[in-house]
Amino acid sequence: MSTIDSVLKENRLFPPSEDFRVKANVSGMEGYNALCEQANNDYEGFWADLGRELVSWKQPFTKVLNSTEAPFYKWFEDGTLNVSYNCLDRHLAGSGDKPAIIFEADDGTSTPVTYRELHQRVCQFANGLRSLGVKKGDRVVVYMPMGVEAVVAMQACARIGAIHSVVFGGFSAKSLQERIGDARASLVITANEGLRGGKSVPLQAVVDDALALGGCESIQHIVVFQRTQTAPAQWDARNVWWHELTAQQPTECEPEWMNAEDPLFILYTSGSTGKPKGIQHSSGGYLLGTLVTMKWVFDYKPDDVFWCTADVGWITGHSYVCYGPLAIGATQVVFEGIPTYPDANRFWSMIARHKVTTFYTAPTAIRSLIKLGADLPGQHDLSSLRLLGTVGEPINPEAWIWYHEVVGGGRCPIVDTWWQTETGAHMIAPLPGAVATKPGSCTLPLPGILADIVDESGAPVEPGKGGALVIKKPWPSMVRTIWGDPDRFKKTYFPEEFNGQLYLAGDSAHTDENGYIWIMGRIDDVLNVSGHRLGTMEIESALVANPLVAEAAVVGRPHEIKGEAVVAFVVLKQNRPEGEDAKRIARELREWVAHEIGKIAQPDEIRFGENLPKTRSGKIMRRLLRVIAKGEEITQDVSTLENPAILEQLRVSAL
Ligand code: WT7
């Protein structure tokens, strides 16, 4: 992979400036090393101190880590708290009038919402949910556009102890239905439609379709936020307008006091096999993870204007839009739209207008904005910025250097943050006032995070050698289980090969001579397309569900902007199509996948064959498909291949 080659050659070091280091929350390598040492000397004491310092408890915990049912670890188990109280109420006395959210709508209008106002809106909505019978432990699916209401919906669930499961607004009715069914949710919160890039996005209509598919009998109400004037095509007796639900509700709402281990939310993510996994997070440990990383990695200061561009449909939007920034009392920008509307100046203009200090986005967005106008940031006053971040995939050094020079004016550290839906919060990232950065490396684990790179037997590999990235000790914000499937949780993350002792991240990585970690990519059949996680099996199952398709295999190939592109090899039940016929069927299959999963999973390329390359025992040889997808010559051994002629056919058939 060309990105990896260039990453491997990259060795420039960018230490923090003296000015940044002096003011930083963790200052210099002395500061970083001191924290690591504390964690090494007394692991539980280290996390207990942070838990007491950063989280407001109703009933303080006396127990720290309970490993008796490992890998089902418990943190702070006898403590009680409410996450929404931590995000809102505790700021009212000192910062009630501080803007919590500066909301910028798709059309460019912006509205500040203070902590006091946000608190009132969350309380009203929480009371509304209670009036519909939602109670502690119930599951609530949130299928919303980006905006203040999405945050209000999630915070209101947290306030009454309901477990939210946010489904990204780009997922199809089928995906939504599967998630509602798996979580046995009792309520869906949606909007009539969303607005992105000047276009409306159907939401309530997709919910209607999802419910019509069946299997969602658990749903009792659908709360609909009216984002636009478009009237709903259908209005079920179970539907309730958001504004009607909240109109008469009191602006105070007693929080439900939760045990630290009570689930805060489920978020579905793709795995290597089968259906998406409901990643279940806790209340106490998760909140601590978001808080400590806001402080260390984002070096949070009270006068910051923080902006994470992620949608709340992903973990990044949970931890660094909905929870972390509010829990620490920050002012943050929440953006409804897309980076290219009305044009590719949008992000830069927003940074200038809102005086953003901390900007956090995905490498794929950076790459596409370079392509659309590498000189555009220069036309805006970006002098408010002091810290930049990236997340979701490795960043190629070229894009890193551009981000550093052109966006950050050469003065802002870049925090390349490695983490996952399962980890809840950053795990490997430079503390910006301490760790010198290297373009393309997420650098060093955070204090209290024991990352390592191991071989198949679980033994650490030498620097420079690739291996599996693992975490050696449980950490507070870790996934607690897979909703409804504890066996799968155990097998996936704490496999027998490592005696159930190591958390297996699913990424391969290596370290360099400075001990810096370089992420190489997934070791399972998971693709990373524009920072979004997609299971190849999921796309394959969607394809074979089409009546025309006999067999399908999906692989990734490097893509300049998206990181990875989806390439599908398809065998039809009919003869292998050619010419216009092939184009038409390929188009149909793309639409089919959008319909089954969502547009984000649509294959970039489809190749039809009479068959797929298989071993004599019938196993599809994916490594050959990856070579073909890249457009490279096959130099590997094909002697075990049953049907070598098929390779040529697939090689010439890109559509
Ligand atoms: C996978 C997790 C974590 C929020 C967004 C994605 C990849 C994530 C980085 C990074 C290289 C990264 C990994 C990981 N990944 N951050 N800084 N450098 N790779 O969350 O959907 O759970 O995906 O994203 O492969 O396993 P996710």
Side-chain angles (χ1 to χ4, degrees):
M1 196 166 147
S2 62
T3 326
I4 287 178
D5 290 343
S6 63
V7 158
L8 287 174
K9 289 192 208 92
E10 186 57 54
N11 220 351
R12 275 169 286 183
L13 265 179
F14 293 79
S17 68
E18 183 58 15
D19 184 49
F20 197 101
R21 185 184 63 77
V22 171
K23 295 181 191 150
N25 293 342
V26 179
S27 186
M29 284 308 279
E30 322 77 77
Y32 170 79
N33 289 328
L35 287 169
C36 292
E37 207 166 300
Q38 276 177 35
N40 286 341
N41 293 341
D42 177 10
Y43 190 71
E44 289 188 32
F46 171 79
W47 283 116
D49 286 349
L50 288 166
R52 287 188 198 103
E53 177 199 329
L54 296 170
V55 174
S56 301
W57 300 89
K58 176 78 171 170
Q59 169 89 49
F61 59 87
T62 63
K63 298 179 186 163
V64 185
L65 171 64
N66 177 344
S67 304
T68 49
E69 288 164 54
F72 301 94
Y73 297 99
K74 295 190 179 100
W75 283 91
F76 316 120
E77 62 181 306
D78 60 348
T80 64
L81 79 164
N82 180 278
V83 170
S84 138
Y85 177 92
N86 273 267
C87 293
L88 300 167
D89 306 55
R90 68 166 168 166
H91 307 311
L92 294 183
S95 334
D97 296 323
K98 179 177 178 173
I101 291 177
I102 301 168
F103 173 62
E104 179 155 320
D106 191 54
D107 70 2
T109 50
S110 65
T111 332
V113 182
T114 64
Y115 271 93
R116 198 179 321 283
E117 289 161 349
L118 189 63
H119 174 259
Q120 289 179 356
R121 287 167 71 169
V122 168
C123 285
Q124 287 191 302
F125 193 66
N127 286 326
L129 290 177
R130 275 189 179 148
S131 76
L132 295 175
V134 181
K135 52 185 195 317
K136 179 177 171 181
D138 289 353
R139 276 79 58 211
V140 171
V141 165
V142 176
Y143 189 68
M144 295 277 283
M146 265 307 274
V148 178
E149 288 73 19
V151 175
V152 169
M154 294 160 77
Q155 287 283 346
C157 288
R159 194 159 191 95
I160 63 172
I163 303 169
H164 61 68
S165 169
V166 183
V167 178
F168 173 60
F171 276 118
S172 67
K174 177 95 184 304
S175 298
L176 181 59
Q177 175 241 10
E178 280 168 11
R179 286 157 175 77
I180 292 171
D182 189 77
R184 277 169 289 108
S186 62
L187 189 131
V188 181
I189 306 170
T190 189
N192 62 333
E193 52 184 21
L195 280 175
R196 277 164 64 84
K199 297 193 191 101
S200 62
V201 182
L203 291 169
Q204 193 215 316
V206 180
V207 174
D208 290 341
D209 290 348
L211 300 186
L213 288 170
C216 301
E217 290 70 28
S218 54
I219 294 293
Q220 294 177 2
H221 296 284
I222 301 102
V223 179
V224 186
F225 169 64
Q226 187 172 11
R227 176 66 188 92
T228 66
Q229 293 314 308
T230 314
Q234 200 177 307
W235 194 256
D236 196 279
R238 295 176 295 182
N239 289 14
V240 188
W241 283 113
W242 176 298
H243 54 269
E244 289 177 4
L245 178 68
T246 51
Q248 305 301 324
Q249 297 295 343
T251 53
E252 294 285 336
C253 171
E254 174 67 11
E256 186 79 39
W257 299 106
M258 307 291 283
N259 272 98
E261 278 299 317
D262 284 335
L264 178 64
F265 66 85
I266 316 169
L267 181 60
Y268 285 85
T269 190
S270 296
S272 46
T273 51
K275 54 176 194 163
K277 310 176 268 199
I279 300 301
Q280 181 181 316
H281 277 287
S282 69
S283 297
Y286 172 80
L287 181 67
L288 176 58
T290 66
L291 275 160
V292 76
T293 51
M294 284 300 298
K295 181 175 168 181
W296 288 346
V297 181
F298 289 130
D299 189 44
Y300 169 72
K301 301 284 158 52
D303 52 2
D304 274 339
V305 177
F306 181 83
W307 183 19
C308 164
T309 67
D311 192 284
V312 291
W314 311 109
I315 190 69
T316 310
H318 281 62
S319 302
Y320 301 109
V321 178
C322 185
Y323 292 113
L326 296 177
I328 208 155
T331 292
Q332 69 171 322
V333 173
V334 170
F335 178 41
E336 178 175 42
I338 56 172
T340 50
Y341 178 81
D343 56 46
N345 284 292
R346 187 65 181 261
F347 275 6
W348 322 128
S349 136
M350 284 181 64
I351 292 171
R353 281 185 288 115
H354 301 302
K355 302 205 167 35
V356 171
T357 59
T358 311
F359 180 64
Y360 188 41
T361 197
T364 187
I366 297 168
R367 287 191 297 262
S368 70
L369 290 172
I370 293 175
K371 200 157 184 190
L372 292 169
D375 55 336
L376 293 180
Q379 300 172 16
H380 302 264
D381 176 7
L382 305 183
S383 60
S384 56
L385 287 172
R386 65 178 195 91
L387 181 62
L388 300 172
T390 67
V391 57
E393 42 173 334
I395 182 164
N396 46 312
E398 299 73 23
W400 194 101
I401 295 289
W402 179 86
Y403 196 34
H404 187 254
E405 296 303 320
V406 182
V407 179
R411 86 189 163 271
C412 308
I414 297 180
V415 289
D416 175 342
T417 59
W418 178 88
W419 59 298
Q420 309 176 293
T421 304
E422 293 86 342
T423 68
H426 302 153
M427 299 290 279
I428 308 174
L431 302 197
V435 179
T437 54
K438 275 188 202 184
S441 168
C442 52
T443 75
L444 303 175
L446 303 188
I449 300 298
L450 282 88
D452 208 347
I453 299 167
V454 301
D455 63 19
E456 300 80 51
S457 70
V461 299
E462 303 151 34
K465 273 194 75 183
L469 179 63
V470 296
I471 312 294
K472 296 188 291 188
K473 267 181 187 280
W475 64 101
S477 67
M478 69 191 292
V479 47
R480 292 305 193 264
T481 187
I482 292 175
W483 179 260
D485 202 346
D487 283 345
R488 189 173 176 200
F489 167 78
K490 249 172 135 162
K491 284 195 194 109
T492 311
Y493 302 113
F494 293 91
E496 275 306 312
E497 300 102 273
F498 303 150
N499 299 318
Q501 294 300 305
L502 300 176
Y503 169 83
L504 181 67
D507 281 355
S508 64
H510 70 87
T511 53
D512 66 16
E513 65 282 7
N514 302 110
Y516 277 36
I517 296 172
W518 298 77
I519 306 292
M520 312 304 290
R522 299 286 306 192
I523 47 179
D524 49 13
D525 293 316
V526 167
L527 305 183
N528 191 329
V529 180
S530 301
H532 298 147
R533 199 159 137 181
L534 296 169
T536 52
M537 289 272 282
E538 254 175 285
I539 308 177
E540 287 165 9
S541 325
L543 284 167
V544 296
N546 184 288
L548 294 175
V549 176
E551 218 178 352
V554 167
V555 299
R557 84 162 141 71
H559 186 279
E560 202 193 339
I561 306 281
K562 300 181 179 191
E564 258 184 310
V566 179
V567 181
F569 294 87
V570 176
V571 182
L572 297 182
K573 288 176 187 158
Q574 67 193 57
N575 286 342
R576 177 171 174 265
E578 281 176 13
E580 283 307 309
D581 220 22
K583 279 194 193 140
R584 181 181 51 79
I585 299 176
R587 210 167 36 239
E588 265 177 48
L589 292 181
R590 280 199 190 97
E591 274 161 30
W592 175 267
V593 172
H595 183 261
E596 290 284 293
I597 305 175
K599 273 209 169 98
I600 50 171
Q602 275 184 323
D604 295 273
E605 194 176 291
I606 293 185
R607 290 171 182 249
F608 292 110
E610 278 155 16
N611 203 339
L612 297 173
K614 287 179 191 146
T615 61
R616 288 190 186 99
S617 60
K619 208 169 150 348
I620 297 172
M621 294 182 78
R622 284 166 187 281
R623 61 180 173 89
L624 295 180
L625 292 179
R626 284 191 203 104
V627 176
I628 296 173
K630 275 199 250 181
E632 289 174 359
E633 287 301 315
I634 293 174
T635 53
Q636 286 122 315
D637 179 18
V638 294
S639 58
T640 53
L641 198 61
E642 170 77 27
N643 48 356
I646 212 72
L647 296 177
E648 183 55 21
Q649 195 180 67
L650 293 171
R651 204 178 61 78
V652 298
S653 67
L655 281 170

